[in-house]
Amino acid sequence: MKNTDVRDPAYFHKVVDCQWACPAHTNVPEYIRLIAQGKYTEAYIVNRESNVFPAILGRTCDRPCEPACRRGRLDGKPVAICRLKRVAADLRGEISHLLPKIPKESNGKRIALIGAGPASLTVANDLRPLGYQVTLFEKQDKPGGLMRSNIPSFRLPEKVLDDEVNIILEMGVDIRYNSPVSSLRSLLNEKYDAVFAGTGAPRGKDLEIPGRREAAANIHIGIDWLESVAFGHIDSIGKRVLIIGVGNTAMDCCRTSRRLGGTDIKVMARRPRAYFKASPWELDDAEEEGIDIVINHAPKRFVLENGRLTGMEFERLEWDAEAKKSRVIDTIFLPADDVILAIGQDNAFPWIERDLGIQFNKWDMPVVDETTFESTLGGVFFGGDAAFGPKNIIWAVAHGHAAAISIHNYCQGLPVTVRPQPRMSLITQKMGISEWSYHNDYNPAARQKMQHVDLMRRFEQLNIEVELGFNPEQTAREVQRCLNCDVQTVFAEKRCIECDACIDICPVQCLTITADGEEKEVRARLSAPAVNPDQALFASAPLPQTGRLMFKDEDVCVHCGLCAERCPTAAWDMQKFDLIIPYAGSPCSTPSVAMHQ
């Protein structure tokens, strides 16, 4: 096997599973350690550098980091990464002195941003410190985009949203409310140096089955209905409500219905629960509030009497083992005063003229480069849901960072394809013979359970936040569950005497000294066969005594540091890895590594 190049930032980055899985690559272990030390402000700033909205995402993120968390492989429950993010945000102190400084003089370049959602706000956050003049066009009278209109205030309080959005607007963004862009051609004629579209996926999918048009008054498109609730245009709903669809939008719709007067609320799903799109915690919260989730029912028609909706008829289905084929068992009727359709979202670009040079694909989406986020019209960029369809806020943030790099390059006359590269540092954590600067003992604490507002009180007002956040005792227990995966086992071949002490003490059998060979064959003869090919197998250079190699299965290592404690020659060391993420304004150069050993 080829000797592993640990000087490549991507190698150790992938070992930090939570950070690797996060689209914005937030340094999760670092901010958890800071929380453990009571340094909430510092933890917030570590968060904010990459994800921009720690308080918002601490409440609303779909948490791609948590399924990747190494702790989940040990006791089945990942660290509550998202909820710890909220702890730092809720307890932080003053941060204005820690934010990027905005130059007094403009660099002469003007950028237009369309839509004040998370992607556009991230672009503004990255470009204002570089001296760009940023003009933000927003169709509503408040900023936030779908964060405001589609996430109910009982999940995301308005004050939390306003506080984090205003941090960016107060950087000197020229935001123009009630200013929808109706013509891209007209905007381009205003001679902006670049344009970024972060308009989201603003069109909810409809359900064209018999009775749809006749019962239109009591059938609502989910995201439009949530927007009307958010802006105060709707404040009630019928007692009996059917929600069609079982994604996170459906969960927001059913829980909002509960607060607006609905008492008999059913979420109707075509498939079994294992195939739901909604996050498990969203389903749990809905069911806690008395929502009935009904599986294996396909909408057949809307039923009316005297021109008014009375309910829906469904086909009851039976699926095969893989839920690919179904058969109809029978047909049933369910009564309803209102029906909310939450079956997906589409993009809509009626404001983009089709003769400008922007190509559209067969789904009527702009053709956007997945790395640069530039369209086929130079200087016009897309991000967030407007680029590749509906995803979570953290994806929009990641898109915004990448697009800001491209916009900066474009305005400076550099190719947008020339990207600044990530760098890294490795710093030893050794404090003594068997002492480290981090807590390396395994803590058996169970994942902490989020406390909620009393069930009846939460329905008194629409804006009562349901989740209370972790208390100090819960926080102290949860931070100790982190395995510090960014503290890496770094190996120096020249010091190894092949005594096998590290192999003997390893609690998960991730180390093996053996002869070289093809990777597939080597994986099969390790101390514990390495069965996950998606994560790296470390291979050292030939060892000085026998020419064999030290192998390490990164997939099962728990970063306990026992190998480094036991090694008599310090061939193993525990070194903290820090990924230095490039943002707009970072030099476009070859990767460099800062090493401290």
Side-chain angles (χ1 to χ4, degrees):
M1 287 181 58
K2 184 179 180 181
N3 176 216
T4 301
D5 182 10
V6 296
R7 298 179 64 88
D8 179 358
Y11 178 76
F12 282 137
H13 180 198
K14 192 172 182 179
V15 175
V16 190
D17 300 82
C18 52
Q19 186 179 25
W20 179 263
C22 173
H25 303 311
T26 299
N27 190 344
V28 174
E30 179 67 9
Y31 80 68
I32 289 179
R33 277 192 299 270
L34 289 169
I35 291 171
Q37 298 166 26
K39 297 179 179 179
Y40 305 114
T41 302
E42 293 88 340
Y44 181 88
I45 291 299
V46 168
N47 261 281
R48 193 188 181 282
E49 181 180 15
S50 55
N51 76 22
V52 183
F53 305 109
I56 294 171
L57 284 164
R59 291 163 165 84
T60 65
C61 192
D62 64 355
R63 316 176 191 177
C65 53
E66 293 192 14
C69 176
R70 196 174 295 263
R71 178 71 186 227
R73 304 174 205 170
L74 297 182
D75 62 12
K77 297 289 185 180
V79 175
I81 296 168
C82 182
R83 285 163 172 167
L84 289 174
K85 190 192 315 288
R86 173 180 170 172
V87 169
D90 288 355
L91 299 179
R92 70 169 173 84
E94 173 59 40
I95 63 167
S96 58
H97 62 293
L98 300 173
L99 296 173
K101 303 303 178 186
I102 308 303
K104 295 181 179 179
E105 299 295 328
S106 166
N107 65 8
K109 301 294 184 180
R110 299 166 60 242
I111 311 301
L113 308 179
I114 308 172
S120 293
L121 290 167
T122 301
V123 174
N125 176 81
D126 289 6
L127 294 184
R128 277 298 295 141
L130 300 177
Y132 287 90
Q133 293 177 298
V134 174
T135 303
L136 184 49
F137 297 90
E138 169 54 43
K139 69 176 182 179
Q140 302 289 357
D141 59 1
K142 293 181 179 179
L146 295 181
M147 295 189 295
R148 184 180 300 276
S149 64
N150 279 189
I151 302 177
S153 54
F154 57 82
R155 288 183 56 213
L156 177 58
E158 186 174 26
K159 184 180 185 305
V160 173
L161 176 63
D162 288 341
D163 285 349
E164 290 202 314
V165 170
N166 286 338
I167 289 173
I168 297 172
L169 298 183
E170 290 168 4
M171 292 179 174
V173 176
D174 175 15
I175 185 165
R176 302 181 184 181
Y177 297 114
N178 302 308
S179 300
V181 173
S182 58
S183 168
L184 181 57
R185 175 178 279 111
S186 297
L187 188 64
L188 293 173
N189 287 339
E190 295 183 32
K191 304 301 180 184
Y192 285 96
D193 294 283
V195 174
F196 176 83
T199 50
R203 184 173 63 193
K205 291 183 178 180
D206 211 332
L207 183 62
E208 296 294 346
I209 57 176
R212 170 66 180 94
R213 295 304 152 195
E214 293 83 351
N218 294 89
I219 300 173
H220 316 280
I221 302 296
I223 63 170
D224 297 338
W225 184 79
L226 288 171
E227 181 178 296
S228 295
V229 173
F231 286 94
H233 306 310
I234 290 177
D235 60 6
S236 65
I237 199 166
K239 297 295 184 183
R240 300 171 301 178
V241 185
L242 295 176
I243 314 293
I244 311 302
V246 71
N248 287 339
T249 297
M251 296 302 102
D252 288 338
C253 289
C254 69
R255 296 179 70 194
T256 300
S257 297
R258 181 75 171 82
R259 287 157 174 77
L260 296 186
T263 55
D264 179 8
I265 304 168
K266 292 181 172 61
V267 174
M268 308 302 297
R270 288 179 58 90
R271 291 173 178 267
R273 191 175 183 119
Y275 299 91
F276 289 0
K277 291 184 178 180
S279 302
W281 53 89
E282 298 280 5
L283 296 166
D284 292 343
D285 288 348
E287 289 180 318
E288 182 183 30
E289 295 180 359
I291 308 300
D292 187 12
I293 298 176
V294 183
I295 64 172
N296 302 341
H297 282 64
K300 185 176 182 181
R301 67 184 180 97
F302 296 98
V303 179
L304 294 86
E305 286 185 11
N306 300 321
R308 182 172 180 81
L309 177 76
T310 59
M312 288 186 69
E313 195 173 274
F314 293 86
E315 293 178 336
R316 199 157 59 92
L317 306 177
E318 183 179 76
W319 293 89
D320 64 13
E322 297 179 349
K324 291 183 178 179
K325 294 182 179 180
S326 64
R327 69 179 184 90
V328 177
I329 299 175
D330 55 23
T331 300
I332 68 168
F333 168 79
L334 293 176
D337 302 308
D338 288 275
V339 173
I340 301 176
L341 305 177
I343 54 177
Q345 294 168 229
D346 286 327
N347 293 79
F349 301 98
W351 49 277
I352 299 180
E353 294 84 356
R354 295 313 197 254
D355 60 350
L356 294 176
I358 297 178
Q359 295 179 16
F360 284 78
N361 61 26
K362 62 181 180 180
W363 298 284
D364 203 34
M365 290 279 290
V367 176
V368 178
D369 186 276
E370 294 186 5
T371 299
T372 68
F373 291 85
E374 188 175 32
S375 70
T376 54
L377 178 61
V380 177
F381 303 84
F382 291 79
D385 294 353
F388 305 115
K391 286 190 176 182
N392 190 262
I393 297 168
I394 191 63
W395 286 96
V397 169
H399 293 179
H401 285 312
I405 291 173
S406 297
I407 292 170
H408 177 64
N409 282 9
Y410 182 84
C411 291
Q412 301 304 316
L414 298 171
V416 296
T417 53
V418 178
R419 318 295 290 179
Q421 299 298 310
R423 297 178 295 124
M424 73 176 191
S425 66
L426 281 171
I427 303 177
T428 183
Q429 301 301 289
K430 186 174 279 294
M431 301 285 286
I433 295 177
S434 297
E435 184 179 1
W436 309 102
S437 64
Y438 74 105
H439 185 78
N440 69 319
D441 289 339
Y442 174 78
N443 192 308
R447 180 177 168 118
Q448 299 301 292
K449 181 177 176 59
M450 175 60 65
Q451 300 300 307
H452 289 171
V453 168
D454 179 73
L455 190 60
M456 296 311 298
R457 182 175 178 272
R458 71 180 72 168
F459 303 134
E460 293 174 0
Q461 290 178 265
L462 185 62
N463 61 356
I464 293 177
E465 186 173 14
V466 172
E467 292 192 352
L468 296 172
F470 283 160
N471 62 33
E473 181 181 358
Q474 288 178 304
T475 300
R477 290 182 177 178
E478 192 63 36
V479 293
Q480 291 301 325
R481 298 184 69 243
C482 178
L483 299 176
N484 298 286
C485 294
D486 62 330
V487 181
Q488 306 286 353
T489 52
V490 178
F491 184 64
E493 294 92 345
K494 62 183 180 181
R495 296 176 183 167
C496 180
I497 57 174
E498 303 182 45
C499 65
D500 283 0
C502 58
I503 295 170
D504 292 341
I505 202 170
C506 178
V508 292
Q509 295 184 293
C510 68
L511 300 176
T512 308
I513 299 176
T514 187
D516 199 358
E518 294 295 326
E519 180 171 350
K520 184 177 181 180
E521 184 270 331
V522 169
R523 281 180 172 272
R525 58 179 162 90
L526 300 182
S527 300
V531 296
N532 181 9
D534 293 331
Q535 197 153 40
L537 186 66
F538 169 81
S540 73
L543 300 179
Q545 304 298 322
T546 66
R548 296 181 299 169
L549 276 61
M550 174 71 75
F551 291 98
K552 174 172 178 276
D553 183 3
E554 297 286 10
D555 187 50
V556 296
C557 175
V558 292
H559 300 246
C560 63
L562 291 176
C563 56
E565 289 183 14
R566 184 72 176 270
C567 181
T569 62
W572 286 107
D573 189 20
M574 304 304 295
Q575 299 184 11
K576 185 162 77 72
F577 164 81
D578 185 21
L579 180 71
I580 303 169
I581 303 171
Y583 297 105
S586 299
C588 293
S589 59
T590 55
S592 60
V593 182
M595 305 284 284
H596 304 275
Q597 298 185 24

